[in-house]
Amino acid sequence: YIVAEDAVAPTAHEVRAHVRGRLPAYMVPRHVMPLTELPLTANGKVDSRGLPAVVVDGPGAHDADHPPADAPVPETEDLIRGIWRDVLSETEIDDDADFFELGGNSLMVTRVHTRLQDLFGVTLPLGEMFDATTVRLQTALVTDAVVAEVGQLSDDDVAALLREGGDDLAGNFGDDVAETFGENDERQ
């Protein structure tokens, strides 16, 4: 639950983006419910019984962090899910399933870590892999790393990489990078 200081409450995506850099991944809220004020007891403490139920379905319930179940699956998630299938010897991997609950261990995390770095050409801190224990969280971790590394390149470097890599480079990152550094980029 959040109570905005301004008249307009931040979106669930904005709240999660804000806390993602300050909290371990497992503590980032999955659902965010804006309120005008928190219900209080006579002692001035939050009255948890007076809090409304969190709305998880309906208009505005889904956002960029948690799209509806029938939304198209980005290519990056497909690639990460494929790595998990190989490492865990599992055929069905849900995007929100926990790696360790599926039978993963620290050695398997290092295998996934190495394969992600090789596949996406980015450096990922191994420690963050232990916090990003779902396909969805690892997708965000990889996407953030790609965006950070691309963000350090000059426009000429990006253009050269795209020319050199051709379809192969663009195919690896799909719409995630295209949307971030695509034709709508106004930094020119």
Side-chain angles (χ1 to χ4, degrees):
Y1 298 94
I2 63 166
V3 176
E5 290 179 356
D6 300 326
V8 178
T11 65
H13 176 74
E14 291 169 334
V15 171
R16 279 192 289 279
H18 176 77
V19 299
R20 194 173 282 127
R22 292 164 177 78
L23 297 173
Y26 69 89
M27 294 181 75
V28 174
R30 180 174 175 90
H31 303 288
V32 176
M33 179 84 168
L35 299 175
T36 55
E37 62 183 20
L38 292 172
L40 302 176
T41 66
N43 295 334
K45 296 182 181 182
V46 174
D47 182 6
S48 59
R49 293 181 189 159
L51 292 169
V54 175
V55 177
V56 293
D57 290 321
H62 301 289
D63 58 28
D65 285 346
H66 301 295
D70 60 349
V73 177
E75 186 174 328
T76 304
E77 287 182 356
D78 285 338
L79 294 169
I80 293 172
R81 198 177 307 103
I83 291 172
W84 279 36
R85 280 189 198 109
D86 290 345
V87 171
L88 295 169
S89 300
E90 290 281 333
T91 56
E92 292 297 319
I93 305 286
D94 181 70
D95 290 347
D96 293 313
D98 185 272
F99 184 81
F100 296 104
E101 290 177 9
L102 293 174
N105 58 42
S106 59
L107 180 59
M108 291 176 171
V109 169
T110 60
R111 288 185 196 148
V112 170
H113 176 255
T114 300
R115 291 182 63 182
L116 288 175
Q117 290 188 131
D118 291 346
L119 178 63
F120 293 101
V122 295
T123 302
L124 301 169
L126 180 59
E128 290 186 23
M129 296 291 294
F130 289 92
D131 287 332
T133 60
T134 67
V135 168
R136 193 175 314 277
L137 291 173
Q138 285 186 6
T139 300
L141 183 68
V142 167
T143 302
D144 290 349
V146 169
V147 169
E149 289 191 21
V150 171
Q152 294 176 1
L153 300 174
S154 70
D155 290 343
D156 292 337
D157 292 337
V158 171
L161 284 171
L162 289 173
R163 278 193 306 275
E164 290 171 16
D167 292 337
D168 194 34
L169 179 65
N172 274 348
F173 304 117
D175 293 333
D176 295 328
V177 173
E179 287 176 15
T180 305
F181 296 98
E183 299 169 354
N184 296 329
D185 191 2
E186 299 177 14
R187 294 181 292 150
Q188 301 172 12

